[in-house]
Amino acid sequence: MAESSSQNGHDNLGKRKAYNSESSSTAPIVADGEYVDGGEGSERRQIGLFSAVFIIFNRIIGTGVFATPSTILSLSGSVGLSLFMWIIGAVIAAAGMQVYIIWGTALPKNGGEKNYLEYLFRKPKFLITSVYAANGVLLAWAAGNSLVFGEYILRAANREPGRWTLRLVGFACITFALILHGTALKWGLRLQNFLGIFKILVLLFVIITGFVALGGHMKVEKPHNFSNAFEGTTASASSFCLSLYNVIWSYIGFSNVNYALSEVKNPARTIRIAGPLAIGVVTVLYMLANVAYFAGASKEEITSSGRLVAALLFRNVYGPRAERALSAIVALSALGNVLSVVQSSYNLDYFSFAHGERCRYSLKAESTRNLAGRASSHLVNYGARVVRSMPRWLVSVFVSEIINPQDRLFLTVADWAVCLIVIFALPPGDAYNFVINVISYPLSVINAAISFGIVYLAFHPYSDWPSVSLPAQLAAAFFGSANVFLFIVPLTRPPEGGEPYKSLPYWTHAVAGWAVFGLGFLYWVLWAHVIPRVGRYTLVRQEETGTDGLKRWVFRRVTL
């Protein structure tokens, strides 16, 4: 798959002009992962500007804004710096959006970071794809959201979230998502769609509650958090970095439309408008939500509330009974995010590891089997899987492809198993923060690579690389530098009182992040070298065009 950048894929890319803002949505495209002019596929670009904004918007808003403000305030030490951290996070997300706009304009096809990394790191063949595959397979994206669901639903039931009760409820949440998406995908998507809209309404209700609190209509004494906003500020690079992890976690998803660019109308123009617009709206909502929290609760209450800060706000403004009812509402919002993550995790992985299109070879499924310790003989005998169709607007909104039911169930079970390890193996007080940090750490490495890759290509461009303006290069350099900071600082010892975990060593997530990349490297050695030598064959990838107008890659074994 890395070969896609260095061989056939880039031969095709060189045959086209790079997308620009004046590009027609029906322009002939011959690069892999794109539509063939005049075929049925040319009619499949159905994602317009509004849908693209919704794709980004719906993925960004998850549990982060409900669960992380307490941690961010604890790490920053003051209300003023805590709010400022959200502004810094918005600036970083905006710079990151610019990076993905550049890449999406240059390579307007499905797949996201996989394509960009393959374009940059062309040799050794398949290495970068294998490393990226491990990152997608081995990280428990849904575990943190399941724990947030558990805490809020237990609060709604008036039960203390103890060590095992929280784990069991989290287990029930992730298992429900598995069963629903694995056996009744249509109903899973319907519920996911409903809860996706529902969580936006919850966030708006939190903001309205903040205005009520600012007006002095509270059940407790009104806090005065804004009178001396920067009192208690903590000056520590480690705390600053961890605060940014939590903020950036809440912004993850701004690149979501890049996974479906083959289905976007006039992708260059659409992504240039949709990305900044979505980031701007989310930033305003996030800032207003944090103002609401500080308007309705004291610093001490917020820092001691853990991930229940929204419930705390409701209790102080409306009373205990309202707190329980609204905690159930937030729990449903968290469930919607779990469903979205479970659905998108294997589908985004499938995009990434099956070259971003409908393919007859699922590298992701095989890599999962290998990394899970399955017999290596299954690796090359996996066989063809035919991707089934669904309405394209639904596919695009959820960034999904319907694959063979057995594969869909297997991929979901694999992600479910990793989530259970995190939920049950890690100390409950550290699990959520670990999930945030261990996902953010490898993502910082990837973002740094593709950001500085833009700067590198400005001086050493390939023949098919478009010209990038100086402001865009500066944005890429800034985003890359911010991400270098985010993956270097966690390796340094934090000051006393600034430890990220209660029980785990401070470096746990950094080591785990590099270990995931290391496992991807080991998989590459086995899959691309050892097994082909033993089996006396080589992997050859061939390009074909389906009746749907999509070009695809088929992997075949060629006997030596």
Side-chain angles (χ1 to χ4, degrees), residues 140-210:
W141 288 80
N145 297 315
S146 299
L147 292 172
V148 172
F149 169 83
E151 289 198 81
Y152 273 97
I153 204 67
L154 288 170
R155 173 71 64 164
N158 203 24
R159 295 288 302 273
E160 189 67 25
R163 181 183 182 92
W164 286 104
T165 53
L166 178 58
R167 288 173 169 176
L168 290 174
V169 174
F171 164 77
C173 178
I174 192 70
T175 303
F176 170 76
L178 163 73
I179 294 173
L180 191 62
H181 275 318
T183 62
L185 184 61
K186 180 183 291 185
W187 285 101
L189 291 176
R190 287 173 178 172
L191 179 60
Q192 178 179 312
N193 192 21
F194 169 75
L195 293 178
I197 299 173
F198 185 75
K199 67 184 177 184
I200 297 174
L201 297 178
V202 172
L203 182 57
L204 291 174
F205 189 74
V206 167
I207 294 171
I208 293 171
T209 302

Side-chain angles (χ1 to χ4, degrees), residues 105-145:
T105 302
L107 304 176
K109 56 182 179 178
N110 293 352
E113 297 96 337
K114 180 198 74 72
N115 297 327
Y116 315 150
L117 291 170
E118 289 176 350
Y119 186 90
L120 287 168
F121 304 99
R122 304 184 174 194
K123 295 180 180 179
K125 186 172 62 174
F126 303 138
L127 173 58
I128 197 65
T129 304
S130 299
V131 171
Y132 185 76
N135 178 68
V137 172
L138 297 177
L139 296 181
W141 288 80
N145 297 315

Side-chain angles (χ1 to χ4, degrees), residues 238 242 245 425-427 429-431 433-435 437-438 441 489-495 498-513:
S238 178
L242 292 171
Y245 271 162
L426 294 178
D430 290 332
N433 288 335
F434 174 80
V435 169
N437 295 336
V438 79
Y441 191 91
V489 171
L491 298 173
T492 63
R493 181 180 294 276
E499 294 82 2
Y501 307 113
K502 297 178 181 178
S503 304
L504 300 174
Y506 69 90
W507 40 260
T508 303
H509 60 277
V511 172

Side-chain angles (χ1 to χ4, degrees), residues 318-397:
Y318 303 117
R321 294 182 63 182
E323 174 194 10
R324 293 175 59 186
L326 294 171
S327 292
I329 293 174
V330 176
L332 288 175
S333 174
L335 174 61
N337 197 262
V338 172
L339 288 168
S340 177
V341 170
V342 168
Q343 168 69 11
S344 64
S345 62
Y346 67 78
N347 284 321
L348 291 179
D349 290 341
Y350 186 75
F351 272 134
S352 299
F353 312 132
H355 208 73
E357 296 298 328
R358 294 174 175 168
C359 296
R360 289 166 49 193
Y361 185 96
S362 175
L363 173 60
K364 197 271 187 177
E366 294 203 13
S367 63
T368 306
R369 287 190 171 101
N370 252 335
L371 293 171
R374 295 278 183 132
S376 60
S377 60
H378 289 295
L379 182 64
V380 292
N381 296 320
Y382 178 66
R385 299 294 188 187
V386 180
V387 179
R388 301 189 301 172
S389 299
M390 66 182 294
R392 296 304 288 184
W393 68 269
L394 190 59
V395 168
S396 302
V397 166

Side-chain angles (χ1 to χ4, degrees), residues 289-337:
N290 277 273
V291 169
Y293 297 142
F294 294 129
S298 66
K299 285 176 56 177
E300 293 73 19
E301 286 180 313
I302 293 174
T303 54
S304 62
S305 66
R307 287 170 292 279
L308 299 172
V309 61
L312 172 65
L313 172 66
F314 297 148
R315 183 186 68 198
N316 287 356
V317 176
Y318 303 117
R321 294 182 63 182
E323 174 194 10
R324 293 175 59 186
L326 294 171
S327 292
I329 293 174
V330 176
L332 288 175
S333 174
L335 174 61
N337 197 262

Side-chain angles (χ1 to χ4, degrees), residues 21-33:
S21 58
E22 289 79 27
S23 297
S24 169
S25 61
T26 58
I29 303 294
V30 295
D32 79 270

Side-chain angles (χ1 to χ4, degrees), residues 165-299:
T165 53
L166 178 58
R167 288 173 169 176
L168 290 174
V169 174
F171 164 77
C173 178
I174 192 70
T175 303
F176 170 76
L178 163 73
I179 294 173
L180 191 62
H181 275 318
T183 62
L185 184 61
K186 180 183 291 185
W187 285 101
L189 291 176
R190 287 173 178 172
L191 179 60
Q192 178 179 312
N193 192 21
F194 169 75
L195 293 178
I197 299 173
F198 185 75
K199 67 184 177 184
I200 297 174
L201 297 178
V202 172
L203 182 57
L204 291 174
F205 189 74
V206 167
I207 294 171
I208 293 171
T209 302
F211 283 110
V212 174
L214 286 172
H217 304 287
M218 299 177 60
K219 301 294 183 181
V220 298
E221 183 181 352
K222 183 178 179 181
H224 300 280
N225 289 323
F226 303 108
S227 58
N228 194 2
F230 286 91
E231 182 181 3
T233 296
T234 301
S236 164
S238 178
S239 297
F240 185 83
C241 177
L242 292 171
S243 295
L244 274 182
Y245 271 162
N246 281 267
V247 174
I248 292 173
W249 165 262
S250 301
Y251 276 100
I252 283 179
F254 60 79
S255 61
N256 214 33
V257 74
N258 287 63
Y259 298 102
L261 283 180
S262 292
E263 298 158 47
V264 174
K265 298 176 182 176
N266 197 348
R269 176 183 177 276
T270 300
I271 193 175
R272 284 188 176 126
I273 299 174
L277 179 60
I279 291 291
V281 173
V282 168
T283 298
V284 172
L285 293 177
Y286 279 4
M287 292 302 297
L288 291 176
N290 277 273
V291 169
Y293 297 142
F294 294 129
S298 66
K299 285 176 56 177

